[in-house]
Amino acid sequence: MTLGLWNLAAKDPDHPAVIEAETGRTTTRGELAARTNQVVHALRARGLGVGSVMATVMHNETELLEVFFAALQSGMYVAPINYHSTVDEIAYIVEDSEAQVVFASAAEAERVVEAATQAGLDPAAVVVIGDAVHGATAWDDLLDGVPTTRPDGTTAGWMMTYSSGTTGRPKGIKRALSGMDPDDVGEVWSLPLRIFGIGPDEHVHLVQSPFYHTAVLVYVNSSAQYGHTIVLMRDWSGEKALDAIERYGVTTTHMVPTHFHRLLALSEDQRAAHDVSSMQYAVHGAAPCPVETKKAMIDWWGPVIYEYYGTSEGGGTIARPEDWLERPGTVGSAWANADVQIRDLDGTVLGPGEHDQVWMLAGALDFEYHNQPDKTAEAKRDGYFTAGDVGWMDEDGFLFLDGRVSDIIITGGVNVHPSEVENLLITHPKVADVAVFGVPDPEWGEAIKAVVRAADGTAPGDDLTAELLAFCGERLAKYKLPRSVDYLDELPRDPNGKLYKRRLRDPYWEQQGTSS
């Protein structure tokens, strides 16, 4: 059995590797491998090598995969950045990750040049997928005349993704490089698919979420190492997703509950107009999924809905359809070579039915938070790590989640830390106190809620809400904006100023009959 992108490209170079759903643009295995070779040569010519970091601020386009796979065969790290981020947010990650080159989609080029300059890079260090702007380098110019031959000394690279932290500033999750030959690790890199039982058959994998999500890149990489054709969606809608499934005979995909909500919101006629019978594995995670939503998807698509629980740091559990139907609400049991425990504050492992913090075995996927040894130490204990989630396990080892020790809001599969929004809102002259947290939302999983005590002499109400949301909109990425603002005369704090946020959050969740 042949595994590995470059091995498969040599064996069958004409097989479709990547298809852009909206345009039908198709890249073969041979073309993809050749372009990754060019990117490696071009980056080495700029002084990058093993351990170097490149960042991306890109939409779902073939060039992003060419950059990603170039990192995987050159021993470099690639740090994907959410393209909704503000200039300051992009600059922070570029500087913190120590990225030497930043790749940008044409639509993001001007902001990325500004951010890179702010982070101390020369504008020429920004490579634009399109025409160069403000001193940046055009993609075609970067690769002009660069050989397509396989570079010497290939070695496996990886991602350095950024996850929200307790300070509100994202943390770079960095793993030690394996030093392995990228031609020899196809089986290792295909593990995320193998744990669900997906094999190297003639599968077609649909990408429905942006590449700045860790899981999206993980499953794309696994698919490529197996030789699956990858179909990219750039502008998602329920009808476009159903059309892509039918048109390309999609068999696997990665989703978040927001996709489920929007698909289920389509009319019966819209759903019936598309054949989804090719789908074999619809894997979802990244956010809480209501039981009724998942039941409705299984009723529609059949028992092909698989769930996992994990974090950018690692994992985790899987719930096969039959497991979940027997135990609605579970996020599954530990996958192969993983282990999950419930521990109390003293580190004692608890038994079935006991609720406390969820810890997972780091194992071969051990990590550190880049330049943050204290945060790394806080998250780890004797080979296990925690993301701050709370839950319990049944007698058979199936995990159920209660919520999070930390206050991270997961909205549409994206992590948002409330302190970042709070720290901004409190600077507004009409805000005396503020708390931000997640509340139940049928489409996004959680929506961002702000509760404000207005400054003396300021009348709370719609006008103030509009002013505060506009204030945030000028300074935060759209996905971090509160969706609603409520007002109180006082926020619940103790004499030392500690905020009892659960007293604010719990009523919203109790109204839904849900524990958070």
Side-chain angles (χ1 to χ4, degrees), residues 397-409:
F398 284 84
L399 177 65
F400 295 77
L401 296 177
D402 296 325
R404 289 169 295 281
V405 173
S406 64
D407 291 324
I408 289 176
I409 303 164

Side-chain angles (χ1 to χ4, degrees), residues 104-123:
S105 292
E108 314 303 334
E110 291 193 22
R111 295 190 308 116
V112 175
V113 170
E114 182 181 350
T117 303
Q118 185 175 315
L121 291 180
D122 188 280

Side-chain angles (χ1 to χ4, degrees), residues 58 103 105 136 227 319 353 387 397 419 430 440 453 470-471 503:
M58 297 177 67
F103 291 87
S105 292
S419 67
K430 296 182 181 179
R453 177 168 70 85
F471 176 76
R503 293 183 186 176

Side-chain angles (χ1 to χ4, degrees), residues 208 233 236-243 259 262-263 266 274 300:
Q208 303 190 56
M233 290 189 68
W236 193 93
S237 73
E239 285 197 275
K240 287 181 179 179
L242 295 179
D243 177 70
H259 292 135
R262 292 185 175 182
L263 286 167
L266 296 174
H274 297 280
W300 177 13

Side-chain angles (χ1 to χ4, degrees), residues 266-328:
L266 296 174
S267 70
E268 290 294 337
D269 288 343
Q270 289 172 312
R271 292 195 224 172
H274 297 280
D275 180 4
V276 295
S277 61
S278 62
M279 185 64 66
Q280 299 177 33
Y281 297 89
V283 176
H284 77 96
C289 185
V291 168
E292 291 307 316
T293 297
K294 188 163 177 177
K295 282 182 177 177
M297 283 299 299
I298 293 174
D299 287 343
W300 177 13
W301 284 16
V304 300
I305 312 294
Y306 292 74
E307 186 169 0
Y308 70 91
Y309 165 68
T311 67
S312 295
E313 291 84 346
T317 67
I318 62 168
R320 297 173 180 83
E322 61 271 22
D323 297 327
W324 190 89
L325 288 169
E326 290 179 5
R327 306 167 181 83

